[in-house]
Amino acid sequence: MRLYVASAGTGKTHALVGELLALLRQGVPLRRMAAVTFTRKAAEELRRRIQGEVARLSSASWAEEAQREVYGAVFTTIHGFMAEAIRHTAPLLSLDPDFALLDELLAEALFLEEARSLLYLKGLDPALEGSLLALYRKRSLAGAFRALPGAEGLLELFQEVLSGYHRRTREALGPGDLEALALRLLEHPQAVRRVVERFPYLLVDEYQDVNPLQGRFFRVLEEAGVQVVAVGDPKQSIYLFRNARVEVFRQTLKEAAEVHRLAETRRHAKAVARFLNRFVERLFPEPERVPVVPLREEEGLVEVHWVVGEGGLPEKREKEAALLVERLAALRGQGYAYREMAVLVRSRASLPFLERAFRALGVPYVLRRGQSFFKRPEVRDVYHALHLALLEGPPSPKERISLLAFLRGPFVGVDLGQVEEALQAEDPLPLLPPEVRMRLDGLKALAGLRPLEALKALVRDEVFLRRLSRRARANLDTLLLLAAEERFPDLEALLEWLKVRAEDPETSELPEGGEGVQLLTVHAAKGLEWPVVAVFDLARHEGGRSEPVLVGLDGEVALEGTEGYQNLRRTLARAQEEESLRLLYVALSRARDVLLLTGSLSERPGPWAEALMDLGLGPADQDPLVHRHPLAGLPPLPSPPLLP
């Protein structure tokens, strides 16, 4: 494997584009390559970059063929590539290639429904559903689970629930199901050869975020003959909760045939680059460091502010927030617009302190919400209902997914166990209860309406609305307003709009209206950058929750209270501690020109505060970057200005 080890802002996408162009110049057609990344938006951006480069080099002998192929070339997500590989080899695996893909939320909901039904029928504790769901979510860690002492019964129950879930979903696959099938593919030599023949060249972006099963998939393909190029930055591996494991990248770094380091940054001003290098040099292992070399001439600015003195941490945080907002207002006076600023936090628990300070000091702000708007349950329910409005004849695998969602959702609200016999049939519609068929007939009437009218009829459905919270109903009003800004020629176009927005986590997350300083978590800021970035509440601890069941990297399953659980808990705690530093690195590296860090002196400093102290930038240090603010000398927060 050829591996590029990057740092933030050093051009990972540019490196992948260069690799693709090099293959084209060697005469490799685009149809023999696959470019894989983590979001559809990133994949399409890569396609656009290649499109532009091909157009620019149109006189080259290979350019004409590349221009024809670029629209159909495989630029996709990891799960999208796995689906391509499975469809290409489906007959060898005794699979129907016309399977549909379940989104993660619906797949989990269907699994939970099966778990609840089984627990009820067996007379077991309903609280077990939490442990069963935890196992379902951890399938990406290992190809198979094995129970440690005390977990045998839970694992047996999980396998029973999983079998029922697979019967219920039939030809529809959730993300974990797709990975499990990809592992089956690897065990079939002829299937592996077919994938190698179809995609002899594979380029993978954001390799630091792959989970163990995905890493195994790429490794076996490489061993079988696929030429793999991967790009990533292990310092930005921050998705432990999604089963990403930086160990996959580290192992690849040890074994890679070629390793290239990307060091030149066009993002960071000199002061920010120096600070990042100081942070990385002190706190990261040598193979992962990659000190950055700034190409910009601007000096930039880095400041570390600490609120010190006697007083409780909540009071200090109030003053820390006010201090930060005043500093941002001063930067606005130096020419930075508020929309060019962002304040990043480790936890949403820090946001109320910031909001009070912004309101009191009259500085505009924009709060990014956590869940993507177009993935909210009520919006997805509308999507599935609209999808069924176009249903003709027995449902296809994709239409069957919408049928499952419609039946179990607030439009109908039936227990899928009551209609299980119907759902197993090739055409379940005639076997459904009369009242359900009546609801489906009502949906078909929407197909004759204009798209916006059809949408309005659904979101005004009285049965639907009665089962929704006030906030969910408000979200549907927002959906109508957003749709009204578009021009949909037909219902299919409206469905495609809803589908694409839901699949793109960056564009589908809607901030509150207005312009101002953006307030968001570090995870939400991944992939973004601003001229001015502030990191607030360095003293914050992340509250660790005790999980009822843990899974190890070798598939070990352990229940809370057992010896095996304690061993896995210690391993997880070390991984979380490491990831905390990577999360701080991601926050710091979002800044282009100005980086501000603020914290409050605490008897129990959080991991970010400890990292700053380790750098010699704590509240007791004399470094020129450090500014101390005694609590007693800070003015009280003014009352918020009255609204006109």
Side-chain angles (χ1 to χ4, degrees):
M1 183 182 290
R2 183 181 301 128
L3 182 67
Y4 286 85
V5 185
S7 282
T10 56
K12 294 192 293 294
T13 304
H14 181 75
L16 275 186
V17 169
E19 288 284 346
L20 275 162
L21 289 175
L23 288 172
L24 287 170
R25 290 189 180 101
Q26 293 168 26
V28 179
L30 269 176
R31 64 180 178 275
R32 288 289 176 256
M33 309 178 204
V36 176
T37 186
F38 271 78
T39 67
R40 285 182 177 270
K41 182 181 179 183
E44 289 307 314
E45 173 60 26
L46 189 57
R47 188 193 305 274
R48 283 193 293 272
R49 292 276 292 272
I50 289 296
Q51 213 172 327
E53 290 293 330
V54 168
R56 188 175 63 83
L57 300 169
S58 58
S59 60
S61 57
W62 47 264
E64 184 178 347
E65 183 181 34
Q67 284 178 321
R68 288 196 307 271
E69 293 184 349
V70 69
Y71 295 100
V74 178
F75 291 78
T76 187
T77 62
I78 290 179
H79 287 133
F81 178 69
M82 285 180 164
E84 286 280 340
I86 291 167
R87 285 195 171 99
H88 193 64
T89 57
L92 297 173
L93 304 175
S94 302
L95 294 174
D96 182 349
D98 191 27
F99 58 81
L101 299 179
L102 285 165
D103 68 62
E104 186 176 3
L105 293 178
L106 180 56
E108 285 190 4
L110 293 172
F111 176 84
L112 263 181
E113 196 154 315
E114 182 66 29
R116 288 165 181 159
S117 296
L118 191 63
L119 292 173
Y120 175 77
L121 291 172
K122 287 179 172 285
L124 298 174
D125 185 357
L128 283 170
E129 72 174 53
S131 297
L132 293 169
L133 182 60
L135 289 177
Y136 179 83
R137 288 173 170 169
K138 297 297 181 185
R139 289 184 297 161
S140 297
L141 291 178
F145 290 152
R146 60 181 179 87
L148 294 182
E152 297 89 348
L154 177 67
L155 188 54
E156 185 178 332
L157 183 63
F158 170 75
Q159 298 296 352
E160 192 173 350
V161 175
L162 194 63
S163 296
Y165 157 81
H166 285 147
R167 285 194 303 272
R168 184 169 288 191
T169 54
R170 288 174 55 114
E171 296 95 353
L173 303 176
D177 309 318
L178 204 59
E179 291 174 353
L181 277 177
L183 286 191
R184 268 186 58 193
L185 185 158
L186 298 180
E187 295 168 359
H188 197 299
Q190 190 178 351
V192 172
R193 282 196 298 273
R194 288 197 67 177
V195 175
V196 175
E197 290 166 3
R198 174 66 181 85
F199 299 110
Y201 300 91
L202 177 62
L203 299 97
V204 187
D205 197 7
E206 304 290 0
Y207 197 73
Q208 77 278 352
D209 290 329
V210 302
N211 65 45
L213 292 197
Q214 293 165 352
R216 180 177 166 190
F217 182 69
F218 294 134
R219 186 171 62 253
V220 172
L221 290 183
E222 186 200 15
E223 290 169 354
V226 174
Q227 293 191 31
V228 181
V229 177
V231 181
D233 180 0
K235 303 184 297 302
Q236 296 189 70
S237 179
I238 60 171
Y239 293 111
L240 194 66
F241 66 97
R242 292 184 188 167
N243 299 326
R245 290 296 185 271
V246 73
E247 291 87 354
V248 177
F249 189 99
R250 288 172 175 166
Q251 188 62 32
T252 303
L253 183 56
K254 290 178 183 176
E255 298 172 353
E258 292 181 43
V259 176
H260 303 272
R261 287 178 163 76
L262 303 175
E264 293 183 341
T265 173
R266 291 173 174 79
R267 176 188 300 174
H268 303 114
K270 292 179 178 178
V272 177
R274 283 198 301 272
F275 184 84
L276 290 174
N277 287 341
R278 178 176 177 178
F279 183 83
V280 167
E281 182 70 26
R282 177 71 179 174
L283 299 171
F284 283 88
E286 191 277 330
E288 301 173 17
R289 287 176 188 162
V290 194
V292 292
V293 179
L295 299 182
R296 294 175 55 192
E297 291 300 318
E298 295 86 351
E299 178 59 25
L301 178 68
V302 178
E303 296 176 353
V304 182
H305 295 267
W306 292 99
V307 175
V308 299
E310 296 295 323
L313 197 51
E315 182 185 4
K316 288 178 182 175
R317 283 188 174 122
E318 292 280 1
K319 300 295 179 67
E320 178 190 338
L323 177 74
L324 173 56
V325 175
E326 288 172 346
R327 189 70 190 89
L328 295 176
L331 286 169
R332 182 175 183 260
Q334 296 174 25
Y336 290 102
Y338 284 134
R339 67 176 180 277
E340 296 179 309
M341 305 179 188
V343 182
L344 309 184
V345 294
R346 177 187 175 95
S347 164
R348 297 185 71 82
S350 300
L351 292 175
F353 296 97
L354 288 168
E355 290 191 78
R356 284 193 290 272
F358 274 96
R359 286 196 298 265
L361 295 167
V363 173
Y365 69 95
V366 174
L367 183 63
R368 279 184 177 258
R369 295 299 181 188
Q371 187 184 18
S372 298
F373 177 83
F374 287 87
K375 281 190 174 179
R376 287 173 178 154
E378 59 276 9
V379 178
R380 299 303 293 157
D381 285 329
V382 168
Y383 168 82
H384 290 300
L386 285 171
H387 196 195
L388 292 177
L390 300 175
L391 181 62
E392 295 180 2
S396 68
K398 288 183 179 178
E399 289 166 337
R400 189 176 286 270
I401 291 173
S402 289
L403 180 62
L404 288 170
F406 181 73
L407 292 175
R408 66 172 299 278
F411 279 107
V412 178
V414 301
D415 180 347
L416 293 184
Q418 298 173 3
V419 291
E420 185 168 355
E421 186 177 341
L423 293 175
Q424 296 302 317
E426 190 67 30
D427 185 359
L429 302 184
L431 304 177
L432 292 171
E435 62 274 17
V436 175
R437 296 203 304 272
M438 189 179 301
R439 292 289 275 164
L440 288 168
D441 289 340
L443 291 182
K444 291 181 181 179
L446 300 178
L449 301 177
R450 288 181 298 178
L452 197 58
E453 292 302 315
L455 179 61
K456 191 178 296 184
L458 275 180
V459 302
R460 296 288 182 260
D461 184 280
E462 291 185 5
V463 174
F464 182 45
L465 290 176
R466 276 201 306 269
R467 292 169 172 164
L468 298 181
S469 68
R470 181 180 299 176
R471 179 174 178 184
R473 293 195 296 270
N475 287 337
L476 293 177
D477 290 336
T478 301
L479 178 64
L480 271 178
L481 290 172
L482 291 170
E485 296 173 0
E486 307 289 333
R487 295 289 183 269
F488 302 111
D490 49 38
L491 202 53
E492 286 88 346
L494 170 58
L495 281 166
E496 184 64 17
W497 177 73
L498 288 168
K499 177 174 176 284
V500 169
R501 297 298 293 268
E503 288 171 345
D504 183 354
E506 294 179 26
T507 62
S508 61
E509 185 180 272
L510 295 181
E512 290 181 350
E515 282 202 358
V517 180
Q518 293 196 51
L519 311 184
L520 64 166
T521 63
V522 181
H523 280 104
K526 181 80 185 294
L528 305 176
E529 58 185 76
W530 294 267
V532 178
V533 168
V535 182
F536 172 72
D537 200 2
L538 294 172
R540 172 71 59 183
H541 273 274
E542 187 64 39
R545 278 185 318 180
S546 178
E547 298 182 59
V549 60
L550 292 178
V551 177
L553 290 178
D554 293 322
E556 319 96 298
V557 175
L559 281 179
E560 190 173 14
T562 64
E563 182 181 350
Y565 182 94
Q566 294 306 318
N567 293 334
L568 291 180
R569 184 72 191 87
R570 283 190 288 272
T571 302
L572 179 62
R574 286 194 295 271
Q576 290 169 334
E577 185 179 340
E578 281 190 24
E579 185 174 81
S580 180
L581 286 179
R582 298 195 294 269
L583 195 64
L584 179 53
Y585 172 80
V586 169
L588 302 174
S589 59
R590 301 308 95 196
R592 291 205 296 261
D593 303 342
V594 178
L595 174 62
L596 307 175
L597 295 95
T598 70
S600 297
L601 180 63
S602 169
E603 294 179 358
R604 186 171 167 261
W608 287 6
E610 289 180 337
L612 269 289
M613 293 175 192
D614 201 9
L615 288 174
L617 298 170
D621 293 307
Q622 302 301 312
D623 192 282
L625 299 181
V626 174
H627 304 261
R628 291 162 49 90
H629 305 270
L631 179 64
L634 293 172
L637 198 63
S639 300
L642 295 175
L643 294 174

